Amino acid sequence: MKLRTLLIALVASLPLVAQQKASPSIVKGFGPIKVTKPILLDSTNLSNTKFTDEMLLSYSISFPEHNRFENEIKADTAGYFKLNRPSKGKEFQLVSFFISGNKYGKGKITITSPNRLELWIDNSKKASKDNLNDSIHKAGSVDATLDGFTSNSRVVVKLLTADDDILDPMLKIDVVADEKDKTLEYTFDDVQSRRINIKDIIEGSRVRNSSISASGRFVLINLSTTLPGGRSQSKIEIYDTREKRIIMSEASSRQMLNWMPKSDLLYYVDDSENGRTLYTLDPLNNTTAILANDIPREGFRFAHDEKSIFFSTKESVNATSPSGLKRLIGIDDRQPSYRDRYFINRLFLDSGLTQQLTFGRQSASLNDITEDASKLLFSVSAQDLSERPFRKGSLYMLDLNTMDIDTIWKDERFAGYAQFSPDGKQLLIQGGPESFNGIGLNIKEGQIANSYDTQSFIMDLGTKKVTPITKDFDPSVSSQFWNKTDNNIYYRVDEKDRVTVYRYTTKNSKFEKLPLNEDVIQSFNMSKDGRWATYTGVSTTNSSRSYLLDMKSLRSTLIADPYAERLNTINLGEVKDWTFTSTFGDEIDGRYYLPPNFDVNKKYPLIVYYYGGTSPTTRGFESTYPLHVYAAQDYVVYVVQPSGTTGYGQEFSARHVNAWGKQTAEEIIEGVEKFVEAHPFVDGSKIGNIGASYGGFMTQYLITQTDMFDASVSHAGISNITSYWGEGYWGYSYSSAASADSYPWNNPEMYVEQSPLFNADKITTPLMLLHGTADTNVPMGESIQMYTAMKLLGKDVEFIQVEGENHAIYTYDKRIEWNNAIYAWFAKWLKEDSRWWDSMFPEPNE
């Protein structure tokens, strides 16, 4: 008999009244699947147990996807779904459907049947019925609890049927909300479309990045998969641009796999007891060859001619203290690598000779090597606490043939990484706006530039003249490179809430944005001949994808989108842009996320999110604070980009400096007021706000300035600017930008008045503080201080510590529960529903 496909097209049930049952009217089935008893070699097994039909029920089945359940079964007037009895022997019948609840709560699903059966929900067995009944009136049942958010959970019922059963196989399905959840409504569906949850943000397959071979023939795609439970897997694929297909796919077992600089070969290393071996890999035929043996176990960089590699070795400062004591030898000596010093070396692959290029007490960092491998750029950085940013750097050019050295600049405070132009006569430099005596500044009188607003400069090596390329270019530079073939410079930049790529034509000094297919470009890589490029990006409604870009036509071809299969099962709400003009005269950008199945006639609570640090909140799909997941729980989510963020020009980002909430808070408050006024579907009496790091500071500061928020979340937030300045690993150095030239002794007003801790008595909003116990960036004491203050003041406050986590929460199970705590907190205060919170944090018995 052919395998038939049977079950579910569940229709939505009517809204429930208290304790009213909901049942699907149609389900779909798959089967029958023939099942037979084993050959009985003995009457009992090793446990002295006889074989029974109940044992057949436990036979494992890999349930087919729901779309393979093709047979519709309708309920009869009594609510039973009736199936066909086997004509001979025993068979499994499978029934499948999806169930959703309209809110957080608890319910129970009951399956009533005379047959033996198993009940599975989301691939987990919840109950089994081992006995067979001989009448409908005596039909037994099993049930399972639906707890929390039930979002299109897949239910599969596996029935064991036999030709000698008295009754035809049948089952009845009932779902009822708990007595305490009288407004909880359950609906049924036959489409695998559900709302997004936190596991969708963590789990699944995604592209990490892509890179292209020298000729543009091949693209290396790096992918990663996070499985349920948190275990991760990595693999690589190689796409042939000529054949337009993947020609190689394997687990990521080759260390440091990357393209050679000028040939279409990959290189990788393999470590063994005998040392490290450097191999090449030909992607066309998957053959390998040894390039060098016994190379150092360090990261390295190839010379462009592929004849040598450059790497760094490390020595550490020897500073002893009596046992159990540690004398700090510098202001950053709490950081693990503070005492390490690095030196540049060159290994010639033909002879095996290793030559040390730098020596002494100072670390040297390799910047770039000329195309002909004749010259090398390296920088030296030294701490100087007399002036911000508390470091000064020097750049040197080394002639690799003569070992002569040329000083490019000395003791420059804001200039950073440099690279050669294709002809080696100029340098392309990244640095803060104040680099080179402020030649690139574009701010108002009285402002101090935001040193995180990275700019680009070109230096002529003959004259040492510096030209500020991006002085009048508002986006902030993330990365840059100078292409040899077309002599153009390519920039990946933060542009408002997007990350885009621009081409700077050196002939006419013009910027041109490339028409790429994603909102946030995560990586951009060009072939050596400039004919092809590959990029990886993400947008508000899709995960990371990789493309091949034709640099002549600027047409993109999608070559990898591994998350699409999972995304196709998720029902996302719309994302829309929204701006307002502030009382300061600026147009303030923003966007908002709507719940799935949005109803314009309903009133939704609002959650407000804003930037942390000084970078904009980009339009990425996944994030530590997944905005689509908030929206999926029937919130409207408003993201605002207030003054101080980069990507909007130097003047705008300079407002971050010495502000600590001034103007920024006013813009957020004004934006929320105007957003609520402009959107009648928002419940202005139920507004929450959330932020992390500097955004956590903003959360705390905002609720000292307004009572418009009804619930607040501060993750790793700064409560006391003074203690953060002195305690955090990067407290004083970050403050060199955020609090430029301001210290507790010369600007105590800012350190006190702008610190939420000193204004805690003004807070009326319930506040949840979250903090990793191992946070080295913003120490946990920042939350401890605010928690203590609010407790003493008798205010609503909760403090959740995440054990062993640093500034961000990455451990799989902790990340899920940490997010659940946020969702439960907002539900408690914005939906007046504390059950989720109470289930996570029941009151202790005292």
Side-chain angles (χ1 to χ4, degrees), residues 51 61 98 126 146 154 293 318 328 375 381 442 465 475 491 530 558-559 609 616 674 757 767 772 805 829:
F51 188 87
I61 295 179
F98 297 96
K126 299 298 183 182
L146 303 169
R154 188 187 181 193
N293 287 304
N318 184 17
L328 299 187
K375 292 182 173 60
S381 176
N442 187 2
K465 179 185 176 182
Y491 292 97
L558 181 65
I559 58 175
Y609 185 75
K674 290 185 174 180
L757 180 66
L767 171 65
E805 295 295 303
W829 294 101

Side-chain angles (χ1 to χ4, degrees), residues 46-71:
L46 294 175
S47 301
N48 204 31
T49 303
K50 292 184 177 182
F51 188 87
T52 63
D53 286 350
E54 289 87 340
M55 294 179 181
L56 290 173
L57 181 63
S58 64
Y59 280 17
S60 174
I61 295 179
S62 179
F63 298 135
E65 292 297 321
H66 179 73
N67 58 14
R68 293 182 59 196
F69 285 68
E70 296 176 349
N71 291 339

Side-chain angles (χ1 to χ4, degrees), residues 714-716 768-775 779-788 798-806 808-809 813-815 817-819 821 837 840-841:
S714 169
H715 171 223
M768 181 168 71
L769 301 158
L770 295 160
H771 225 115
T773 60
D775 195 332
M780 192 172 65
E782 294 302 310
S783 288
I784 293 173
Q785 292 179 92
M786 181 56 80
Y787 180 70
T788 302
E798 294 284 353
F799 183 17
I800 307 299
Q801 301 179 11
V802 190
E803 295 292 335
E805 295 295 303
N806 205 308
I809 313 301
D813 55 347
K814 294 176 184 177
R815 185 174 175 186
E817 293 305 330
W818 166 70
N819 273 279
W837 179 267
M840 293 186 70
F841 305 106

Side-chain angles (χ1 to χ4, degrees), residues 707-842:
D707 61 0
M708 72 187 309
F709 298 106
D710 302 279
S712 296
V713 175
S714 169
H715 171 223
I718 299 162
S719 66
N720 182 346
I721 303 171
T722 306
S723 55
Y724 165 71
W725 167 84
E727 254 191 290
Y729 266 22
W730 302 277
Y732 84 96
S733 56
Y734 172 76
S735 296
S736 72
S739 313
D741 297 326
S742 290
Y743 304 97
W745 52 88
N746 70 2
N747 193 357
E749 181 180 354
M750 184 191 76
Y751 279 84
V752 173
E753 292 301 319
Q754 298 307 118
S755 289
L757 180 66
F758 292 91
N759 296 278
D761 59 326
K762 301 173 185 175
I763 296 175
T764 60
T765 305
L767 171 65
M768 181 168 71
L769 301 158
L770 295 160
H771 225 115
T773 60
D775 195 332
T776 54
N777 186 346
V778 177
M780 192 172 65
E782 294 302 310
S783 288
I784 293 173
Q785 292 179 92
M786 181 56 80
Y787 180 70
T788 302
M790 291 192 68
K791 275 294 188 181
L792 291 173
L793 289 165
K795 297 180 181 293
D796 288 315
V797 64
E798 294 284 353
F799 183 17
I800 307 299
Q801 301 179 11
V802 190
E803 295 292 335
E805 295 295 303
N806 205 308
H807 197 51
I809 313 301
Y810 290 126
T811 304
Y812 176 88
D813 55 347
K814 294 176 184 177
R815 185 174 175 186
I816 290 173
E817 293 305 330
W818 166 70
N819 273 279
N820 284 340
I822 295 172
Y823 308 146
W825 179 254
F826 281 137
K828 177 178 179 177
W829 294 101
L830 302 185
K831 296 182 177 180
E832 299 180 356
D833 185 352
S834 65
R835 287 166 302 165
W836 196 351
W837 179 267
D838 295 338
S839 70
M840 293 186 70
F841 305 106

Side-chain angles (χ1 to χ4, degrees), residues 257-433:
L257 184 69
N258 213 334
W259 293 110
M260 297 286 285
K262 70 175 186 178
S263 55
D264 278 352
L265 298 175
L266 290 155
Y267 69 83
Y268 68 96
V269 299
D270 184 64
D271 292 330
S272 66
E273 294 180 359
N274 299 321
R276 169 169 285 185
T277 303
L278 176 61
Y279 290 89
T280 60
L281 169 65
D282 188 335
L284 268 182
N285 51 31
N286 199 13
T287 57
T288 62
I290 294 176
L291 194 58
N293 287 304
D294 199 24
I295 68 170
R297 297 181 190 241
E298 308 287 351
F300 59 84
R301 177 173 174 174
F302 266 97
H304 294 282
D305 61 7
E306 301 182 354
K307 294 180 179 178
S308 60
I309 59 174
F310 295 84
F311 64 94
S312 293
T313 52
K314 180 181 76 173
E315 296 179 15
S316 296
V317 174
N318 184 17
T320 60
S321 296
S323 177
L325 305 180
K326 178 182 179 180
R327 171 183 173 252
L328 299 187
I329 62 173
I331 195 171
D332 292 323
D333 197 19
R334 293 176 297 154
Q335 300 183 31
S337 61
Y338 178 74
R339 300 186 181 192
D340 297 335
R341 303 293 183 267
Y342 294 90
F343 309 98
I344 303 172
N345 299 264
R346 184 182 190 182
L347 170 63
F348 295 90
L349 297 177
D350 56 352
S351 66
L353 170 67
T354 295
Q355 177 181 332
Q356 187 170 342
L357 299 179
T358 64
F359 175 85
R361 304 177 67 85
Q362 302 176 75
S363 284
S365 298
L366 174 63
N367 280 220
D368 200 13
I369 310 153
T370 54
E371 282 283 328
D372 61 2
S374 65
K375 292 182 173 60
L376 176 147
L377 283 177
F378 71 92
S379 56
V380 173
S381 176
Q383 194 172 70
D384 180 359
L385 300 180
S386 66
E387 188 179 353
R388 66 178 182 88
F390 309 123
R391 298 199 74 82
K392 56 187 179 182
S394 302
L395 184 73
Y396 301 97
M397 183 168 64
L398 175 65
D399 188 315
L400 292 169
N401 296 319
T402 65
M403 293 300 289
D404 292 334
I405 192 169
D406 182 16
T407 301
I408 307 302
W409 66 67
K410 185 76 173 173
D411 295 340
E412 170 61 46
R413 291 187 176 272
F414 292 95
Y417 180 81
Q419 55 187 285
F420 286 108
S421 62
D423 61 7
K425 296 179 180 180
Q426 296 172 292
L427 296 183
L428 180 63
I429 304 161
Q430 280 181 252

Side-chain angles (χ1 to χ4, degrees), residues 85-331:
R85 194 190 323 196
S87 59
K88 183 179 180 180
K90 301 182 185 299
E91 296 171 345
F92 283 130
Q93 298 270 15
L94 303 181
V95 170
S96 173
F97 60 92
F98 297 96
I99 184 169
S100 296
N102 67 330
K103 59 186 294 185
Y104 182 90
K106 182 180 287 187
K108 182 173 70 175
I109 180 170
T110 300
I111 309 296
T112 303
S113 173
N115 299 89
R116 298 182 176 95
L117 63 85
E118 290 180 346
L119 170 61
W120 292 70
I121 302 178
D122 292 332
N123 290 317
S124 176
K125 187 170 77 170
K126 299 298 183 182
S128 63
K129 177 179 177 288
D130 298 328
N131 60 312
L132 184 68
N133 308 120
D134 57 10
S135 73
I136 294 180
H137 299 296
K138 295 180 180 179
S141 64
V142 296
D143 53 54
T145 299
L146 303 169
D147 198 4
F149 274 101
T150 304
S151 179
N152 227 48
S153 290
R154 188 187 181 193
V155 179
V156 176
V157 182
K158 181 177 77 173
L159 294 97
L160 178 63
T161 66
D163 58 356
D164 57 359
D165 290 345
I166 296 174
L167 300 174
D168 288 337
M170 65 183 73
L171 74 158
K172 187 179 182 182
I173 303 163
D174 294 308
V175 181
V176 64
D178 191 80
E179 173 65 29
K180 297 179 181 179
D181 293 291
K182 295 179 181 179
T183 60
L184 175 58
E185 302 171 6
Y186 286 104
T187 57
F188 305 91
D189 205 346
D190 68 344
V191 179
Q192 191 173 355
S193 178
R194 56 181 176 78
R195 296 191 176 203
I196 194 170
N197 60 52
I198 183 58
K199 289 187 177 181
D200 294 311
I201 300 298
I202 302 173
E203 297 172 1
S205 298
R206 294 170 175 86
V207 181
R208 290 206 312 265
N209 56 60
S210 55
S211 58
I212 199 163
S213 65
S215 74
R217 170 75 188 272
F218 305 106
V219 177
L220 172 65
I221 305 168
N222 287 290
L223 306 106
S224 64
T225 300
T226 301
L227 302 173
R231 189 167 64 90
S232 62
Q233 299 173 338
S234 298
K235 75 171 186 176
I236 63 101
E237 293 178 346
I238 297 177
Y239 180 83
D240 188 331
T241 65
R242 190 177 301 169
E243 298 291 330
K244 295 181 173 56
R245 63 182 180 91
I246 300 293
I247 61 169
M248 181 177 173
S249 179
E250 65 178 29
S252 297
S253 58
R254 305 177 199 262
Q255 297 182 65
M256 301 172 63
L257 184 69
N258 213 334
W259 293 110
M260 297 286 285
K262 70 175 186 178
S263 55
D264 278 352
L265 298 175
L266 290 155
Y267 69 83
Y268 68 96
V269 299
D270 184 64
D271 292 330
S272 66
E273 294 180 359
N274 299 321
R276 169 169 285 185
T277 303
L278 176 61
Y279 290 89
T280 60
L281 169 65
D282 188 335
L284 268 182
N285 51 31
N286 199 13
T287 57
T288 62
I290 294 176
L291 194 58
N293 287 304
D294 199 24
I295 68 170
R297 297 181 190 241
E298 308 287 351
F300 59 84
R301 177 173 174 174
F302 266 97
H304 294 282
D305 61 7
E306 301 182 354
K307 294 180 179 178
S308 60
I309 59 174
F310 295 84
F311 64 94
S312 293
T313 52
K314 180 181 76 173
E315 296 179 15
S316 296
V317 174
N318 184 17
T320 60
S321 296
S323 177
L325 305 180
K326 178 182 179 180
R327 171 183 173 252
L328 299 187
I329 62 173
I331 195 171

